[in-house]
């Protein structure tokens, strides 16, 4: 059956009439900022402290828009007799957003959580060369990264937070111990002085050698010799001779 002439125009006018009767949903940007979903891919922020210059993000980027420069430094041994270590120091970390296709592979492959998505999207430039953001600019985007979603009530605490809390508690305990040591030393000194004051003191001029000598005002008794005034002890009687002695 051939179509009725003007049916397509009638359908289009019907859609227009239905739309005219509905409330508008157009957001008046930039006067009204849009409500973006939490996982919006706007721009990439860099948390420089976590970057170890492993180069995984630059190698996995399909557009080759990440540029990283670094150098090695020697870290002296922490203990005597230990070996010196070498570590990579980040010199440059840049992302060319004129080439980036916002695939998020660099964020997914980063093993140390140094890259994050920020919902900010208002960074257009009149010069394409200004779309290459260096590490200082990428660090500024970190302040716009939203907080991670809350954990489930029964979930365990992340290992990073547990390690940070343990370190903070250890430092607080060391500071408390260092603060209490002077007070304890003062108390011990006061106790020593109190015990020293309670000890009896000798008269001046007396020495240990003099106190150990026997006193002369008492008569000396010598039990090694018998006194002449005392009578001699009676002699022992002779043993009787054995009977039957020839």
């Amino acid at each position: 059956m051939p179509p009725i002439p003007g049916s397509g125009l009638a359908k289009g006018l019907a859609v227009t009439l239905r739309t005219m009767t509905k409330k508008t949903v157009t957001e008046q940007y930039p006067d009204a900022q849009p409500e973006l979903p939490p996982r919006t891919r706007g721009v990439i922020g860099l948390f420089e402290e976590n970057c170890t210059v492993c180069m995984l993000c630059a190698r996995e980027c399909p557009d080759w828009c990440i540029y990283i420069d670094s150098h090695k430094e020697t870290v002296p041994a922490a203990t005597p007799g230990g070996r010196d270590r070498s570590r990579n120091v980040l010199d440059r970390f840049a992302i060319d957003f004129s080439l980036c296709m916002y695939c998020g592979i660099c964020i997914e492959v980063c093993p140390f959580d140094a890259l994050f998505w920020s919902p900010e999207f208002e960074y257009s430039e009149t010069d394409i060369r200004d779309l290459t953001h260096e590490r200082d600019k990428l660090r500024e985007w970190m302040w716009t990264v939203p907080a991670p979603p809350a954990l489930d009530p029964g979930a365990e605490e992340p290992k990073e937070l547990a390690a940070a809390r343990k370190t903070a508690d250890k430092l607080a305990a060391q500071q408390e111990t260092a603060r209490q040591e002077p007070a304890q030393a003062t108390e011990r000194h006061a106790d020593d002085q109190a015990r020293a004051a309670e000890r009896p003191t000798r008269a001046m001029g007396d020495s240990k050698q003099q106190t150990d000598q026997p006193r002369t005002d008492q008569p000396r008794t010598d039990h090694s010799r018998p006194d002449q005034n005392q009578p001699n002890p009676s002699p022992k009687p002779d043993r009787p001779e054995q009977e039957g002695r020839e």
Side-chain angles (χ1 to χ4, degrees):
M1 182 177 180
I4 301 174
S7 61
L9 179 60
K11 290 180 181 180
L13 291 175
V15 173
T16 302
L17 291 174
R18 285 198 306 269
T19 305
M20 289 175 61
T21 58
K22 292 181 179 180
K23 186 179 180 180
T24 180
V25 293
T26 303
E27 296 181 355
Q28 302 300 322
Y29 176 82
D31 297 333
Q33 293 293 328
E35 295 182 3
L36 302 175
R39 299 184 65 182
T40 299
R41 298 184 177 186
V43 70
I44 298 174
L46 171 66
F47 191 55
E48 188 177 340
E49 286 75 6
N50 287 357
C51 182
T52 59
V53 200
C54 64
M55 305 293 290
L56 278 177
C57 55
R59 287 198 296 264
E60 297 297 331
C61 178
D63 293 332
W64 293 88
C65 63
I66 300 178
Y67 311 105
I68 300 176
D69 294 332
S70 65
H71 69 278
K72 288 186 176 294
E73 283 187 357
T74 302
V75 180
T79 58
R83 262 175 37 179
D84 297 341
R85 298 184 299 106
S86 62
R87 66 183 182 95
N88 294 324
V89 180
L90 184 66
D91 294 330
R92 185 194 182 197
F93 195 108
I95 300 177
D96 188 356
F97 286 99
S98 64
L99 298 176
C100 180
M101 64 180 186
Y102 303 92
C103 63
I105 293 178
C106 57
I107 298 176
E108 296 295 332
V109 300
C110 182
F112 301 103
D113 293 335
L115 298 174
F116 297 88
W117 278 119
S118 169
E120 295 294 328
F121 60 92
E122 298 177 330
Y123 53 91
S124 60
E125 301 289 348
T126 57
D127 191 350
I128 194 173
R129 291 173 295 183
D130 295 334
L131 288 175
T132 301
H133 294 181
E134 299 293 335
R135 65 176 185 175
D136 295 336
K137 185 67 175 178
L138 296 176
R139 179 60 181 266
E140 294 179 3
W141 292 124
M142 275 300 302
W143 300 107
T144 62
V145 174
L151 299 176
D152 295 336
E156 63 181 31
E157 187 180 28
K159 296 181 180 179
E160 294 82 4
L161 294 179
R165 183 174 290 104
K166 183 178 180 181
T167 304
D169 295 342
K170 185 177 180 180
L171 291 176
Q174 292 178 355
Q175 293 177 358
E176 183 67 19
T177 303
R179 187 178 62 84
Q180 292 179 357
E181 282 182 355
Q184 293 177 356
T186 304
E187 292 179 359
R188 288 195 297 267
H189 183 65
D191 293 342
D192 294 342
Q193 289 183 346
R195 285 195 294 268
E198 292 176 358
R199 293 174 183 171
T201 57
R202 297 191 183 97
M204 295 181 62
D206 293 342
S207 62
K208 183 178 179 182
Q209 183 177 4
Q210 294 176 351
T211 54
D212 293 339
Q213 293 178 357
R215 298 181 63 178
T216 57
D217 54 351
Q218 295 181 359
R220 179 178 177 182
T221 304
D222 191 356
H223 299 284
S224 60
R225 297 178 181 179
D227 194 357
Q228 295 179 359
N229 298 327
Q230 296 180 357
N232 294 331
S234 59
K236 294 181 180 181
D238 296 335
R239 177 180 296 179
E241 295 181 359
Q242 296 180 359
E243 297 178 0
R245 183 178 178 183
E246 296 178 356

